[in-house]
Amino acid sequence: QVQLVESGGGSVQAGGSLRLSCAASRYTHGIKCMGWFRQAPGKEHEGVAAIYASGGSTYYTDSVKGRFTISQDNAKNMLYLQMSSLKPEDTAVYYCAAKTFWNGDCGDILSYNYQGRGTQVTVSS
């Protein structure tokens, strides 16, 4: 099984930046896609960004395009989410996720079969 551990959350003022990290371990060679999803208070889970494990193609939900950047370091089994120009509506628990099955693309983040415990991001106005 894949284990995922997030870090890097915290509190920041609107317009600020944060970088989330996710360390993956165990069965990492089976990962097809990695991504981030979030859950804001009182709201449903929302897929935020994803990247193909082989590198290259990325996916972003419309609300974060141009502000968030997903990247990975396969040699270190690390996934990152650089968040800039943060808004209060970005406040949520952010989860790292991984998919070890292939069904055509990496955009279906909420269907990934592994996730971490989450890290809180709070953006104040």
Side-chain angles (χ1 to χ4, degrees):
Q1 293 190 354
V2 177
Q3 289 190 337
L4 303 170
V5 179
E6 304 94 339
S7 61
S11 297
V12 65
Q13 289 190 330
S17 299
L18 279 175
R19 187 196 197 202
L20 304 183
S21 299
C22 173
S25 60
R26 299 187 182 181
Y27 194 56
T28 56
H29 61 281
I31 294 174
K32 303 297 189 291
C33 310
M34 292 196 75
W36 297 90
F37 68 92
R38 65 187 179 186
Q39 185 171 29
K43 295 187 177 181
E44 295 183 352
H45 291 99
E46 177 188 24
V48 174
I51 188 167
Y52 287 70
S54 58
S57 295
T58 56
Y59 160 88
Y60 297 94
T61 193
D62 287 345
S63 62
V64 307
K65 285 180 180 177
R67 300 189 299 121
F68 290 11
T69 302
I70 189 170
S71 62
Q72 62 188 358
D73 183 334
N74 288 337
K76 297 181 179 179
N77 292 322
M78 293 293 296
L79 179 73
Y80 305 100
L81 185 68
Q82 178 67 48
M83 305 185 294
S84 302
S85 301
L86 283 161
K87 304 175 181 180
E89 51 263 43
D90 294 317
T91 295
V93 177
Y94 283 72
Y95 298 87
C96 175
K99 181 165 77 170
T100 57
F101 61 93
W102 182 245
N103 60 350
D105 68 73
C106 290
D108 57 339
I109 304 166
L110 300 184
S111 73
Y112 287 15
N113 50 333
Y114 293 99
Q115 68 181 68
R117 293 186 175 183
T119 185
Q120 177 69 46
V121 171
T122 302
V123 185
S124 58
S125 58

